[in-house]
Amino acid sequence: MGNKVLIFSAPSGSGKSTIVNHILGLWGDKMEFSISATSRAPRGEEQDGREYYFVTPEAFRELIAQDAFVEYEEVYTDKFYGTLKKEVERIWNAGHVIIFDVDVKGGVNLKKYFGENALSVFIQAPSVEVLRERLIRRGTDTPEAIEDRVAKASEEMTYAPQFDHVLINDDLQEAFEEAEFIVEDFLADGKLDGNF
Ligand code: ADP
Ligand code: 5GP
């Protein structure tokens, strides 16, 4: 059985969560989210072991020293995020495909690590203007945070060519169909369990 992984990365507001949730809605019984470790504090209703494994910065550094990570990134100052090797083993041992939802640098690093076992997808809004409008309409960020995210997006878009597939999320229904197609095609090649 192939140990398959799906990697989704995108600048914030591109529609990554919307598309990943759609894919999970279709194949959630065969796939599982990789829960990252982070040294940032839990927000709102977040629970340890559900959204993230929450650890102190010291504990995170100790895990780095132990070579416990597939990849990690200091996304913001002193705010580490990383994928634990143990988490990968946990999901594969359950016989599930792993879904990664990571920043674009993490996505590139994970693709390098998993190689042919991975499908990496970069989700992109049709333009920076549309991205800004979606973030405003989503209503989860302050105007300053939105401008930060938009500014970061321009840099992040330069990573798109390093992904296996760039999915332009313009019409949502079409984006869903394209995502379904590429995921199904990738998993069928792996002859995971004959059901794809
Ligand atoms: P991300 O996870 O990449 O930050 P979200 O999935 O939260 O992005 O999408 C950002 C906002 O844009 C959400 O409010 C979502 O409902 C909306 N959205 C996503 N895709 C589309 C689309 N194709 N057309 C219009 N709005 C969209
Ligand atoms: P947040 O703090 O909003 O949950 O996440 C901040 C950023 O960290 C997001 O871009 C998210 O995709 C990224 N991230 C989450 N987990 C990981 C991980 O394991 N590795 C990397 N490189 N980035 C991650």
Side-chain angles (χ1 to χ4, degrees), residues 9-21 101 123 126 130-131 133-141 149 168-173 175-176:
S9 298
S12 179
S14 308
K16 181 177 58 169
S17 308
T18 307
I19 290 168
V20 169
N21 286 334
D101 172 348
I123 295 169
V130 171
L131 182 83
E133 281 165 23
R134 285 184 188 166
L135 286 170
I136 292 168
R137 221 174 309 138
R138 188 170 71 180
T140 56
D141 299 276
R149 288 179 188 273
I168 309 286
N169 177 21
D170 190 352
D171 176 82
L172 187 58
Q173 205 50 47
F176 281 166

Side-chain angles (χ1 to χ4, degrees), residues 113-133:
Y113 184 88
F114 290 108
E116 292 296 299
N117 287 334
L119 172 72
S120 65
V121 182
F122 187 96
I123 295 169
Q124 193 173 313
S127 70
V128 171
E129 258 322 299
V130 171
L131 182 83
R132 182 183 281 112
E133 281 165 23

Side-chain angles (χ1 to χ4, degrees), residues 22-157:
H22 175 76
I23 293 297
L24 275 174
L26 289 175
W27 292 304
D29 56 333
K30 292 187 167 63
M31 300 177 180
E32 206 173 332
F33 254 123
S34 167
I35 302 167
S36 298
T38 183
S39 63
R40 80 150 165 78
R43 285 195 297 246
E45 303 286 294
E46 288 179 341
Q47 282 175 22
D48 184 46
R50 194 177 64 185
E51 283 79 12
Y52 285 105
Y53 300 113
F54 292 101
V55 299
T56 62
E58 295 71 38
F60 202 104
R61 288 197 178 88
E62 181 56 31
L63 288 164
I64 295 171
Q66 291 167 3
D67 195 24
F69 289 103
V70 172
E71 64 82 41
Y72 69 91
E73 201 83 49
E74 193 173 6
V75 177
Y76 307 104
T77 308
D78 221 25
K79 303 283 187 291
F80 293 96
Y81 297 81
T83 303
L84 290 161
K85 291 178 180 170
K86 244 169 62 184
E87 177 70 0
V88 169
E89 284 159 22
R90 180 183 75 76
I91 299 175
W92 277 348
N93 286 342
H96 292 152
V97 173
I98 310 178
I99 299 198
F100 288 101
D101 172 348
V102 293
D103 75 322
V104 296
K105 283 185 203 162
V108 168
N109 288 334
L110 286 169
K111 173 65 190 179
K112 280 185 192 144
Y113 184 88
F114 290 108
E116 292 296 299
N117 287 334
L119 172 72
S120 65
V121 182
F122 187 96
I123 295 169
Q124 193 173 313
S127 70
V128 171
E129 258 322 299
V130 171
L131 182 83
R132 182 183 281 112
E133 281 165 23
R134 285 184 188 166
L135 286 170
I136 292 168
R137 221 174 309 138
R138 188 170 71 180
T140 56
D141 299 276
T142 63
E144 293 75 27
I146 288 174
E147 285 316 307
D148 280 353
R149 288 179 188 273
V150 168
K152 200 171 170 207
S154 308
E155 197 244 324
E156 288 172 330
M157 284 193 198

